[in-house]
C-alpha cells in the first residue's frame, strides 16, 4: 500500500473504530437508526460501576398501562396539591416541547438542574477518579475545571491562539489513553467567538472518546448548531441551557443532546427527581412561546453590535473582540480601575484580566438599551 492510500485506510479504520466503539442506535422521531449492530463499546468508555449500576426505581416509574386516580405509592401527603406530588422524573412534557423547538428527538434529550448537572454527570459516568483525564480549550467556562477538580480528574487545558482559535491536532496531542472527554465551548466564554467548525469536526472524527460541545450561547450565533449533527457523531454530547437566550437563568434548566445510549446512562445516574415541578411548569410556559426568544435575540444582537462600535470609540478601550454571544470581551487601558469605578456607580461587568490571553479585559454582557446607554455614559466620564 502506498503512503497516501495507507493514510486514507487508517482514516477509514479510525472512523470505523469510533462507530464500532459507540455502535449507536438513533431514534429520530419514531424511526430507529442503527449505525452499527455490533457489541456496544460505550461500555469500555464508562466507569465499570456506572455501566453495572441498577438505578433507583421511583414509585412513579413503576406503574404503567392504566390511568391512575388514587396515588398511595410514594409516601406523599394527600394534601397541598399540586406540590404534594413528586414531579415527572423524566420530564416528558418539557422534553416534547424541547424536541419541537430544538429539532432533537425526545430519546436524545437529557434535562438537568442547569448545565451544571450536565457538566458534572459526564465526569461521574466516564472518568475514573485519580486515573482518567479530560482536555479542554483555554480560556473557557470555569465549571469544566471545577467539576474535574471535584471529581478528582486531571484537567488538561490547551491554550487558544491569539485569535482565540485552536487546531484539532493541538487538542488531540494533549490526549493520551486515559483521556475520556474533550471540552469545546462554542461560542466560547469568555472570548465570545465561535471555535472554527473544521477543528471541531476533525476532533469529533479523530478522538476515540467523548467530545462535549457547550453551545450555551449558540442562539446568538449565525453558525448552524452542532445538535443538528447528532446522527453524524455518535461520540458527541451537545449542551444547551434555558439561562441565556431563553431568559430563564433562575429556573435552572440545562440540556444535553446525545445518542440514546448516552442519554440512557445520564438518566440512570441523575438524581431521580432532578428537575423540580416549578421548573418544569415554567419551562413549559417559556417553550410554548419561542417567538419571544427570537425577538429578544434579535434585539440583543443589534444592541451588541451598537455597544461594540461605541466601545471602539472610547479612548479607554484598546480592542473589542468579535462576538457570537450575548456578551463581548474588551481590552481596556486599565481593566481593574475601570471595573472598580463602574462598581462604585452600581454597574457590574466581569473583570477577566487575570485569565490567560485576557489581560486587561472586561467582559460586557449585553443589557437593555437603557442599561447599555448608562454603561457607556459612565465610561465616557471615567
Ligand atoms: C459556556 C457556559 N455553559 C453553561 C453555563 C451555565 O449554564 P446554566 O445556567 O444552565 O448552568 C454558562 C454560564 O455562564 C456558560 O457560560
Amino acid at each position: 500500500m502506498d503512503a497516501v492510500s495507507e493514510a486514507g485506510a487508517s482514516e477509514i479504520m479510525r472512523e470505523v473504530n469510533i462507530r464500532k466503539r459507540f455502535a449507536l442506535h438513533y431514534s429520530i422521531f419514531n424511526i430507529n437508526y442503527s449505525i452499527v449492530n455490533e457489541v456496544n463499546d460505550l461500555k469500555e468508555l464508562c466507569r465499570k460501576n456506572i455501566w453495572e449500576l441498577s438505578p433507583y426505581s421511583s414509585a412513579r416509574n413503576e406503574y404503567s398501562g392504566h390511568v391512575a386516580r388514587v396515588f398511595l405509592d410514594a409516601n406523599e401527603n394527600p394534601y397541598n396539591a399540586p406540590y404534594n406530588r413528586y414531579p415527572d422524573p423524566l420530564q416528558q412534557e418539557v422534553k416534547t416541547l424541547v424536541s419541537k423547538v430544538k429539532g432533537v428527538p425526545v430519546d436524545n434529550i437529557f434535562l438537568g438542574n442547569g448545565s451544571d448537572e450536565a457538566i458534572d454527570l459526564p465526569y461521574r459516568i466516564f472518568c475514573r477518579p485519580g486515573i482518567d483525564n479530560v482536555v479542554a480549550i483555554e480560556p473557557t467556562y470555569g465549571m469544566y475545571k471545577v467539576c474535574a477538580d471535584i471529581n478528582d480528574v486531571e484537567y488538561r487545558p490547551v491554550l487558544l491562539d491569539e485569535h482565540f482559535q485552536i487546531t484539532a491536532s493541538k487538542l488531540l496531542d494533549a490526549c493520551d489513553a486515559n483521556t475520556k472527554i474533550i471540552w469545546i465551548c462554542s461560542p466560547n466564554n469568555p472570548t465570545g467567538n465561535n471555535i472554527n467548525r473544521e477543528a471541531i469536526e476533525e476532533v469529533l472524527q479523530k478522538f476515540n472518546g467523548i467530545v462535549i460541545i457547550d453551545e450555551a450561547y449558540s442562539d446568538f450565533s449565525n453558525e448552524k448548531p452542532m445538535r443538528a449533527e447528532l446522527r453524524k457523531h455518535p461520540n458527541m454530547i451537545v449542551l444547551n441551557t434555558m439561562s441565556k437566550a431563553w431568559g430563564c437563568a433562575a429556573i435552572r434548566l440545562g440540556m444535553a443532546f446525545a445518542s440514546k445510549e448516552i442519554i440512557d446512562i445520564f438518566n440512570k445516574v441523575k438524581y431521580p427527581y432532578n428537575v423540580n415541578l416549578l421548573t418544569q411548569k415554567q419551562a413549559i410556559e417559556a417553550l410554548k412561546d419561542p417567538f419571544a426568544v427570537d425577538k429578544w435575540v434579535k434585539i440583543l444582537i443589534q444592541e451588541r453590535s451598537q455597544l461594540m462600535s461605541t466601545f471602539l470609540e472610547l479612548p479607554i478601550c484598546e480592542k473589542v473582540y468579535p462576538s457570537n454571544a450575548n456578551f463581548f470581551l474588551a481590552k481596556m487601558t486599565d481593566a481593574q480601575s475601570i471595573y472598580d469605578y463602574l462598581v462604585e456607580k452600581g454597574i457590574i461587568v466581569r473583570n477577566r484580566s487575570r485569565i490567560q490571553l485576557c489581560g486587561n479585559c472586561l467582559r460586557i454582557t449585553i443589557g437593555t438599551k437603557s442599561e447599555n446607554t448608562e454603561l457607556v455614559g459612565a465610561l465616557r466620564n471615567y
Side-chain angles (χ1 to χ4, degrees), residues 345-370:
K345 303 249 171 234
I347 300 170
I348 316 298
V349 296
R350 196 90 196 260
N351 184 1
R352 300 280 76 185
S353 316
R354 275 179 224 101
I355 301 233
Q356 285 208 75
L357 304 180
C358 300
N360 259 331
C361 284
L362 296 180
R363 194 191 69 191
I364 315 293
T365 303
I366 311 301
T368 60
K369 188 172 255 325
S370 74

Side-chain angles (χ1 to χ4, degrees), residues 112-117 119 140-144 185-190 214-217 239-244 248-250 252-255 327 350 363:
N113 185 346
S115 302
D116 299 328
E117 185 178 2
I119 291 169
T140 194
Y141 181 49
M143 278 305 283
Y144 315 142
C185 182
S186 182
N188 188 30
N189 177 8
D214 188 343
E215 293 195 326
Y217 300 99
L239 304 185
N240 271 203
T241 178
M242 295 288 284
S243 299
K244 309 298 174 185
C248 286
R252 312 305 303 129
L253 192 75
M255 327 171 174
F327 61 85
R350 196 90 196 260
R363 194 191 69 191

Side-chain angles (χ1 to χ4, degrees), residues 106-118:
V106 167
D107 281 351
N108 300 98
I109 301 171
F110 164 82
L111 298 180
N113 185 346
S115 302
D116 299 328
E117 185 178 2

